[in-house]
Amino acid sequence: MLAPIEQGLFWILQFLHGVVGDYGLAIISLTIVVRVALLPLTIKQTRSMYELQRIQPKIQALQAKYKNDKEKLQEETLKFYQENKVNPFGGCLPMLIQMPIFFALYRMLGTTGDTVGLFPTYIATLSAEAAAQASRFWVILPDITLSAKQVFTVGGFGDALPYVIFVILFGLSTLLPQFLQPGAQAQQKQMAIVMGAMMLFFGWSVSGGVVLYWVTQGLLGLLQQAIQTRIYKAKEANQ
């Protein structure tokens, strides 16, 4: 199922490399292409998250009012969602649709167990000099086919530092969207911290190319969230 998507993404990556001349920049460009293609879905997802946060105080009021009557609480909560035209699962479908693309990108850029992605496989076919040039991301990451863990094991913390910085940004890109949501609750922030820590662990072991994709994706997501939130707040202020 993922193989055709992976192959298509690899072709796009090769095309973009022909335009920008750097595979790191090509991955960033590919991330932008994917983000634009999924924009209708991510707009809907961000809108749903904003609406859920906006009505959270009223939901909490219902929970306090009917805390001893779960059946009535469920009935009143559903009624409240319907009256306010809010779908509590509105952000789930866009996320589910994006998952095959993410897994295909992950497979294409990195190595999972015995499965080597199309990009590292292609790099391996080049001469040593050409491979070193192709796998370098500008002057930032010496080899985007390697993980922070691999670089640290061979060269120590000094060599791994650029990768570590990207891994930290990777974790922050998971953490910050939840913290920046209007009216974010303590439980939601705690969950975001746990997810951010998990992403640090995950980012430590995956290739620099995968981390570069997710850092770019996270920054674009934060930008979109900030723009949409400002628009929605402005509309509410004018109503």
Side-chain angles (χ1 to χ4, degrees):
M1 176 183 173
L2 293 177
I5 303 176
E6 182 183 358
Q7 184 67 63
L9 291 171
F10 180 68
W11 287 339
I12 296 173
L13 182 68
Q14 293 290 62
F15 171 77
L16 292 172
H17 176 261
V19 175
V20 299
D22 181 288
Y23 274 109
L25 293 176
I27 290 172
I28 293 174
S29 302
L30 176 61
T31 311
I32 294 172
V33 169
V34 171
R35 190 81 193 186
V36 170
L38 296 176
L39 196 57
L41 294 175
T42 55
I43 287 175
K44 182 178 180 181
Q45 182 181 15
T46 304
R47 174 70 182 184
S48 178
M49 291 172 63
Y50 177 83
E51 291 295 336
L52 285 173
Q53 291 300 328
R54 183 179 62 83
I55 65 173
Q56 192 64 33
K58 295 180 180 179
I59 294 296
Q60 290 177 334
L62 287 175
Q63 291 172 341
K65 183 177 180 180
Y66 300 106
K67 62 181 179 180
N68 297 321
D69 190 342
K70 292 185 178 181
E71 185 175 339
K72 184 65 174 178
L73 172 60
Q74 184 177 8
E75 179 185 336
E76 290 297 322
T77 301
L78 181 60
K79 180 181 177 182
F80 181 79
Y81 282 141
Q82 291 173 339
E83 290 175 348
N84 288 270
K85 298 180 181 179
V86 174
N87 182 0
F89 305 107
C92 297
L93 181 59
M95 189 178 297
L96 290 174
I97 294 175
Q98 293 177 63
M99 292 308 291
I101 297 175
F102 160 67
F103 284 121
L105 276 167
Y106 174 69
R107 281 182 35 155
M108 186 267 285
L109 293 173
T111 302
T112 309
D114 297 328
T115 304
V116 180
L118 291 176
F119 179 67
T121 299
Y122 166 74
I123 294 295
T125 65
L126 304 177
S127 65
E129 182 179 351
Q133 182 64 32
S135 60
R136 175 180 294 274
F137 169 38
W138 198 31
V139 295
I140 302 175
L141 296 178
D143 191 338
I144 57 178
T145 67
L146 298 178
S147 67
K149 180 180 179 180
Q150 289 173 309
V151 177
F152 177 79
T153 301
V154 175
F157 184 77
D159 288 348
L161 182 59
Y163 296 84
V164 172
I165 292 172
F166 271 85
V167 170
I168 293 172
L169 290 174
F170 182 34
L172 289 175
S173 69
T174 303
L175 179 70
L176 289 178
Q178 298 300 323
F179 268 74
L180 296 178
Q181 275 288 335
Q185 303 298 309
Q187 185 178 4
Q188 186 177 358
K189 291 181 178 180
Q190 290 172 0
M191 182 62 69
I193 292 173
V194 172
M195 288 297 297
M198 290 175 60
M199 291 302 102
L200 287 175
F201 178 78
F202 177 69
W204 176 252
S205 304
V206 300
S207 72
V210 175
V211 176
L212 179 59
Y213 163 78
W214 269 110
V215 168
T216 307
Q217 184 75 253
L219 292 175
L220 292 173
L222 284 171
L223 178 61
Q224 179 182 334
Q225 179 178 320
I227 292 173
Q228 283 188 246
T229 299
R230 177 170 293 188
I231 291 172
Y232 298 149
K233 286 185 175 180
K235 285 183 178 179
E236 287 180 9
N238 294 328
Q239 287 178 352

